[in-house]
Amino acid sequence: TTIAIVGTNDSNLSVHNSGRDLRIGVAGGSSQVLSMSSGGTGANAIDINATAGGIDIDAASGVTITASGAELSLNANGGNEVDVTTSGPVDINGAGITVDGTTLSLDGTDTTNLTMIASSNSEKVLTVRAQNTGAGHGTLRLSGSQVQISAGNTTANVGITGSLGVMRDLIV
C-alpha cells in the first residue's frame, strides 16, 4: 500500500492538543530510509525548531552532518555549554583551526603534545604566549618533574627576552 499527499500550496501536518505526539516512522528492519528534503534555497530550507524543549538525535550507527560549500555552526546561546563527549578519540581536521574562549583548558591523562610539523622552506613559528593587557602580569608556567627546553641541535640558540627566574638548579 502506498500513500501520497501532494499539496500545491503552503501545507501543514500538525497535532494541536497538549500532551499529544506526532510520530513519523519507518519500521521493518531492512534498508528503509526516512527522508526529508527541500528544494528551498534559503538558509532555513529545512527548519527544525523546538520552541520550548530540546532536540534529541539517537543513532545505532554513525551520524554524519555535511555542509557542502557552506559554514557548519554549533551555537549554544545564552552562555550554555557545547559538550562533545565520547569514549573514543576526538579528531578535528581543518585547513585552519581557531579556538577562542575566555578560558582554555587542555587536559590529558596520558602523554600529550602541542606540536607543529611544517614542511616549508620558510620559517614557521609556534608561539605560546601569556599576556595580560591590564595592570597584572601574564605568567607562563612550565612545570613538571622534569622540564626540557630543546632547540633541536647542538648549534641552535635558545633566547630569553626579559627576566628569567630560576627556583632550583639551572644547568647550562
Side-chain angles (χ1 to χ4, degrees):
T1 303
T2 301
I3 297 174
I5 301 172
V6 179
T8 58
N9 206 338
D10 292 346
S11 304
N12 120 33
L13 175 61
S14 60
V15 174
H16 285 280
N17 284 339
S18 177
R20 301 292 179 233
D21 299 329
L22 173 63
R23 290 193 173 96
I24 300 172
V26 178
S30 187
S31 60
Q32 294 93 334
V33 174
L34 175 60
S35 177
M36 182 186 323
S37 65
S38 170
T41 59
N44 63 341
I46 294 180
D47 185 11
I48 300 173
N49 187 354
T51 60
I55 295 175
D56 186 11
I57 299 174
D58 297 317
S61 188
V63 174
T64 301
I65 300 173
T66 304
S68 298
E71 180 180 297
L72 175 62
S73 297
L74 298 175
N75 298 313
N77 294 327
N80 294 307
E81 177 178 272
V82 175
D83 186 14
V84 178
T85 303
T86 179
S87 59
V90 175
D91 185 14
I92 301 173
N93 298 303
I97 298 172
T98 302
V99 178
D100 294 321
T102 304
T103 61
L104 174 64
S105 177
L106 300 174
D107 301 314
T109 58
D110 204 340
T111 301
T112 305
N113 299 302
L114 177 60
T115 306
M116 177 186 69
I117 300 173
S119 176
S120 174
N121 290 332
S122 62
E123 180 182 23
K124 301 297 178 190
V125 178
L126 174 63
T127 302
V128 178
R129 175 174 38 195
Q131 180 178 353
N132 183 348
T133 59
H137 293 287
T139 303
L140 176 62
R141 289 197 174 116
L142 302 175
S143 66
S145 59
Q146 187 177 34
V147 176
Q148 297 177 354
I149 299 175
S150 173
N153 62 47
T154 57
T155 61
N157 295 317
V158 176
I160 298 172
T161 302
S163 62
L164 172 65
V166 178
M167 308 306 264
R168 304 261 329 217
D169 296 336
L170 174 64
I171 301 171
V172 181

